[in-house]
């Protein structure tokens, strides 16, 4: 019995993910090359879902960066967000006057990003960019606004499926799958 047996469809395999992550890292390296030496961007991983994406991404960014993590919780054990996310684990580094790149696994309703961007703005970040591995635009409830010269980077647009793997879970399982897939319907019960 392996985790793979629970998967109905693979949406993005390891090679596709690695190629896209390299492209995103190149884009970020280009966009931050003029400021990174004097003020390295702070790459903030939103845990737990972004942990694999963040580690792959930063290893491909050819500039000095600072890495930190933040946790925002809005999901229970199911597949529906319960609205207003809470920041349950805050940053260690001071973002005042710094460029921040928020790294998310997936943007769904947009509630988590809105909450995190507002938080970073309040802490005085001079710009907030977002690098989301996946985006489900059809599910959006709130639109987020970047801060300052912040940019939006997105790996892939995701169809309206609940996906698992590459950091993303269902009931805290499947995060360690190296690809992104959809579970067999019976697994969501
Ligand atoms: P939002 O606040 O509704 O945008 O939700 C964002 C968070 O919900 C993501 O960071 C994920 O942790 C989680 N999430 C949303 N869609 C999925 C999914 O399809 N699979 C796994 N987690 C998801």
């Amino acid at each position: 019995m392996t985790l793979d047996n629970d998967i109905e469809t693979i949406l993005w395999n390891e090679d596709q993910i690695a190629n896209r992550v390299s492209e995103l890292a190149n884009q970020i390296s280009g966009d931050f090359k003029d400021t990174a030496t004097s003020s390295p961007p702070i790459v903030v991983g939103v845990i737990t879902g972004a942990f694999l994406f963040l580690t792959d991404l930063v290893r491909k960014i050819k500039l000095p960066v600072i890495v930190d993590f933040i946790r925002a919780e809005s999901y229970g054990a199911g597949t529906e967000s319960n609205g207003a996310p809470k920041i349950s684990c805050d940053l260690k580094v001071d973002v005042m006057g710094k460029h921040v790149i928020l790294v998310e696994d997936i943007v769904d309703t947009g509630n988590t990003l809105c909450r995190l961007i507002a938080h970073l703005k309040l802490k005085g970040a001079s710009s907030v960019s977002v690098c989301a591995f996946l985006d489900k635009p059809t599910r959006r409830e709130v639109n987020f606004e970047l801060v300052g010269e912040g940019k939006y980077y997105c790996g892939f647009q995701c169809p309206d499926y609940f996906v698992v793997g590459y950091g993303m879970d269902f009931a805290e399982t499947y995060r360690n799958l190296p690809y992104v897939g959809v579970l067999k319907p019976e697994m969501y019960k």
Side-chain angles (χ1 to χ4, degrees):
M1 149 76 199
T2 68
L3 279 185
D4 299 316
N5 292 337
D6 297 349
I7 301 296
E8 174 142 286
T9 320
I10 294 179
L11 298 180
W12 292 283
N13 65 30
E14 284 186 75
D15 287 345
Q16 291 167 318
I17 292 172
N19 289 337
R20 188 66 188 122
V21 172
S22 293
E23 287 173 0
L24 291 170
N26 288 342
Q27 259 179 286
I28 291 171
S29 302
D31 290 344
F32 286 85
K33 70 177 183 319
D34 294 337
T35 51
T37 309
S38 56
S39 177
I42 303 176
V43 180
V44 174
V46 183
I47 46 178
T48 308
F51 80 109
L52 288 182
F53 179 41
L54 179 120
T55 55
D56 286 346
L57 186 73
V58 292
R59 279 181 290 178
K60 299 272 177 189
I61 296 176
K62 303 296 176 209
L63 299 171
V65 294
I66 291 168
V67 175
D68 202 352
F69 293 92
I70 197 162
R71 184 189 288 273
E73 284 176 89
S74 61
Y75 276 63
T79 61
E80 288 297 318
S81 162
N82 58 15
K86 287 190 199 67
I87 292 167
S88 57
C89 175
D90 206 346
L91 297 169
K92 184 174 124 190
V93 301
D94 183 5
V95 298
M96 175 69 81
K98 306 286 186 193
H99 299 295
V100 174
I101 306 171
L102 258 181
V103 177
E104 255 284 37
D105 54 353
I106 182 163
V107 188
D108 187 37
T109 63
N111 282 306
T112 306
L113 264 190
C114 276
R115 177 75 184 88
L116 290 172
I117 292 170
H119 184 69
L120 293 165
K121 194 173 176 183
L122 205 67
K123 283 178 171 264
S126 67
S127 77
V128 179
S129 299
V130 170
C131 184
F133 177 64
L134 299 180
D135 190 340
K136 282 187 201 164
T138 56
R139 297 257 312 161
R140 199 72 89 251
E141 289 172 9
V142 283
N143 287 315
F144 55 88
E145 271 184 43
L146 303 169
V147 176
E149 303 287 296
K151 292 192 162 56
Y152 184 56
Y153 308 92
C154 173
F156 301 103
Q157 284 212 353
C158 185
D160 186 9
Y161 298 124
F162 193 85
V163 295
V164 296
Y166 199 56
M168 289 168 282
D169 73 309
F170 173 64
E172 296 300 332
T173 311
Y174 304 105
R175 292 191 194 277
N176 55 323
L177 284 173
Y179 55 80
V180 175
V182 181
L183 288 172
K184 290 177 179 162
E186 61 267 30
M187 304 315 299
Y188 290 111
K189 285 173 192 143

